[in-house]
Amino acid sequence: MHDELFIDYMLRNVGVENPTRLFPPSSEETIRETLAAVIDAGNPSIKLECIVYYLLSWWNDGSHDNFCVNKRIPSGFAELAYAYYLFDSGDYVVRV
């Protein structure tokens, strides 16, 4: 993964073309566009939920925790999505 974020890979993996156009989100509208692109690609719910969890983590308002509990995302998936967020945001150094 040379010069790309984990979210770029995640979005491409679910069929979103040109993910760098959608990320990082600059507004709620950009997040909505990203979610619409993922939904339109017709992905299984766990992939969609992990991407939503990642995006909510990026938005950094604490809603990712509630989303994870409400959607009952398996802990391994949530932890991996959050680890991707930490690496992409550069926040992993603080967390270690």
Side-chain angles (χ1 to χ4, degrees):
M1 293 182 47
H2 188 335
D3 290 334
E4 70 182 356
L5 300 173
F6 282 105
I7 192 66
D8 296 334
Y9 172 78
M10 292 168 66
L11 291 171
R12 240 188 340 276
N13 189 14
V14 297
V16 174
E17 295 181 26
N18 196 11
T20 55
R21 181 182 67 80
L22 299 170
F23 196 85
S26 56
S27 66
E28 288 183 34
E29 181 59 33
T30 310
I31 288 179
R32 285 190 192 101
E33 283 182 50
T34 305
L35 293 176
V38 173
I39 292 168
D40 289 347
N43 292 286
S45 63
I46 190 67
K47 286 184 177 182
L48 174 63
E49 290 167 357
C50 286
I51 290 173
V52 171
Y53 179 73
Y54 177 105
L55 292 172
L56 290 173
S57 298
W58 190 274
W59 203 250
N60 201 20
D61 66 355
S63 59
H64 64 285
D65 291 328
N66 291 334
F67 179 81
C68 185
V69 170
N70 290 338
K71 290 295 185 175
R72 297 184 176 154
I73 300 174
S75 62
F77 287 97
E79 290 170 5
L80 183 59
Y82 195 69
Y84 286 166
Y85 154 73
L86 289 174
F87 277 110
D88 285 351
S89 69
D91 203 19
Y92 67 93
V93 175
V94 175
R95 304 295 174 140
V96 173

